[in-house]
Amino acid sequence: MAPVCAVVVAGGSGQRFGNPGGKQLVNVAGRPLMSWSIRAFDRSDKVGHIVVVCPAERRAEMRRLAIDPFDYDTPISFADAGDTRQDSTRAGVHAVPAGFEYVAIHDGARPLITTEAIDHAIDVLMGDRSLDGVVCGQPAIDTLKIVDGDNIVETPPRELYWAAQTPQIFSVDAMKRAHAAAIAEGFIGTDDSSLIERMGGRVRCVQSPRDNLKVTVPEDLRPVTAILLGRMAEGEDLPHVQ
């Protein structure tokens, strides 16, 4: 059996995006935004199941628009989103079927992730048993400033910094323990890795494509759409709709 279950988090309200229905079902280059992420995981032979985390009241809509019309081979199930992203992630992790050793947590609003990047990150994690997880991302290329209000306090060496993305891939057991500890101690992390890190877990950064952009506001759709259309023009196959 493939060792990894993907958890695609699609529980956001779309407040910053400005769409009451959220952004996950917005049409991007011919298919709903979140379905691009599902497609990338579906194409990995290392992923044996996909859990989509979304609001309970939107489950039928998401299945009808983002799952049923497309020819996915990987089994897909749902988990109910919580009040926060951390709550949603926890629900997704606990919905991972028995038998999977690893969970790959991914933002449904990052449609540009590639199967190659997913497989590479999984290989890095599985190749080093001392690791509790890996985080896809990119080393910082901009000069960074620490500021107090508008005043620059310090210019730290940028080689120490990475921009964290998703997927973030962990041992299922470690992620469950990390969530339990966070609940017990009232900790809210800025990403999934921070829950593992605070427990002393060893997490490694793995470079993913720099264009693994997250759609947060409407203007993010323009570059994302352009990149997807460019990939198709360069020979990637078009989405297959049943």
Side-chain angles (χ1 to χ4, degrees):
M1 184 177 75
V4 180
C5 176
V7 170
V8 177
V9 183
S13 64
Q15 184 175 1
R16 282 180 292 176
F17 189 76
N19 183 350
K23 58 198 170 190
Q24 303 291 349
L25 296 176
V26 171
N27 187 289
V28 181
R31 63 192 292 158
L33 176 71
M34 64 178 284
S35 72
W36 286 104
S37 296
I38 295 172
R39 178 178 185 251
F41 284 99
D42 176 64
R43 292 183 161 201
S44 171
D45 60 8
K46 303 178 190 296
V47 175
H49 193 92
I50 299 170
V51 176
V52 174
V53 184
C54 70
E57 65 273 14
R58 302 203 68 196
R59 181 181 296 192
E61 180 186 21
M62 288 194 173
R63 179 175 289 281
R64 177 173 55 85
L65 296 177
I67 295 175
D68 288 347
F70 302 100
D71 190 17
Y72 300 123
D73 294 322
T74 309
I76 298 173
S77 60
F78 284 86
D80 292 340
D83 292 334
T84 66
R85 187 189 185 280
Q86 189 164 307
D87 292 335
S88 296
T89 298
R90 183 173 66 252
V93 170
H94 282 277
V96 171
F100 288 97
E101 186 175 358
Y102 302 103
V103 57
I105 302 168
H106 186 65
D107 296 323
R110 287 190 188 272
L112 297 175
I113 191 62
T114 64
T115 302
E116 292 75 19
I118 292 167
D119 286 346
H120 174 61
I122 293 171
D123 286 341
V124 170
L125 179 56
M126 293 179 62
D128 186 346
R129 287 290 177 173
S130 72
L131 292 174
D132 294 292
V134 297
V135 170
C136 289
Q138 279 286 326
I141 57 173
D142 294 323
T143 297
L144 304 174
K145 301 290 185 181
I146 297 175
V147 301
D148 181 5
D150 294 329
N151 298 312
I152 296 173
V153 176
E154 185 181 351
T155 303
R158 66 185 177 193
E159 60 267 21
L160 297 178
Y161 292 88
W162 279 58
Q165 303 171 350
T166 65
Q168 300 187 1
I169 310 171
F170 310 95
S171 154
V172 173
D173 179 66
M175 198 73 247
K176 286 182 176 180
R177 287 188 284 108
H179 273 290
I183 291 175
E185 299 164 23
F187 176 77
I188 304 295
T190 54
D191 70 349
D192 303 295
S193 179
S194 62
L195 275 64
I196 298 285
E197 295 161 28
R198 67 186 296 270
M199 294 178 59
R202 182 166 176 252
V203 183
R204 178 176 168 182
C205 284
V206 177
Q207 285 201 45
S208 61
R210 192 166 293 280
D211 63 8
N212 183 22
L213 306 175
K214 184 177 181 180
V215 174
T216 302
V217 293
E219 49 264 39
D220 294 333
L221 290 175
R222 181 174 292 179
V224 166
T225 300
I227 291 168
L228 287 169
L229 292 175
R231 289 179 181 177
M232 292 183 209
E234 290 170 3
E236 289 198 12
D237 57 315
L238 293 169
H240 175 66
V241 181
Q242 293 177 334

